[in-house]
Amino acid sequence: MKLSQLPINQEQLVQAWQQTLPSTFHPTDRVEVTADTRNPQSLLIHVHTAGHSNYSFDYECRYMDPREVQVRLIEMQRDGYAISKPSPDIEDLSGTYMRHIHECAQTLHPTTHPH
């Protein structure tokens, strides 16, 4: 699938995600959505956790078709350093964030698949 098959272009898609995704997260978590310049079918999502833990998570969210996304964790960090062996709690948090990303994709179905 080429992103052009979506009813909106990548810039509009990023804007829609930027407006919608924060509502699926805890209000104090910071989320950023950018276009993946290497893959027009993908968005890059950066999540910085609330509180003093200083965890951050980077995900790739790739449209498989106008209805389905594949979410992949790229990296987890604490205080700017990559976490190679996360604790079960951090793995659970990452899984929760992945569910939030999928929820956002569901919320945006009318935009990405209006039929």
Side-chain angles (χ1 to χ4, degrees):
M1 179 198 88
K2 293 181 181 175
L3 195 58
S4 62
Q5 292 176 314
L6 291 173
I8 60 175
N9 66 36
Q10 190 178 32
E11 182 180 318
Q12 292 168 321
L13 187 63
V14 168
Q15 289 174 354
W17 274 82
Q18 286 173 337
Q19 291 173 356
T20 307
L21 187 60
S23 68
T24 66
F25 280 79
H26 190 275
T28 56
D29 289 334
R30 289 193 328 257
V31 296
E32 301 166 16
V33 180
T34 57
D36 184 344
T37 57
R38 296 170 298 160
N39 184 346
Q41 297 172 190
S42 296
L43 304 170
L44 300 175
I45 298 169
H46 177 78
V47 181
H48 187 83
T49 61
H52 301 289
S53 60
N54 274 333
Y55 287 107
S56 64
F57 301 82
D58 292 309
Y59 299 93
E60 175 192 38
C61 179
R62 183 166 50 113
Y63 273 85
M64 305 307 288
D65 62 40
R67 297 174 312 258
E68 182 183 354
V69 296
Q70 179 183 58
V71 180
R72 180 176 68 89
L73 175 66
I74 299 170
E75 184 176 51
M76 290 185 261
Q77 294 185 355
R78 181 170 189 185
D79 294 321
Y81 296 98
I83 300 171
S84 58
K85 294 184 180 183
S87 69
D89 289 345
I90 297 306
E91 287 182 352
D92 287 346
L93 182 59
S94 176
T96 298
Y97 288 162
M98 290 178 87
R99 284 190 296 280
H100 292 326
I101 294 168
H102 279 283
E103 288 171 22
C104 182
Q106 290 287 329
T107 301
L108 291 173
H109 268 186
T111 302
T112 60
H113 188 68
H115 306 300

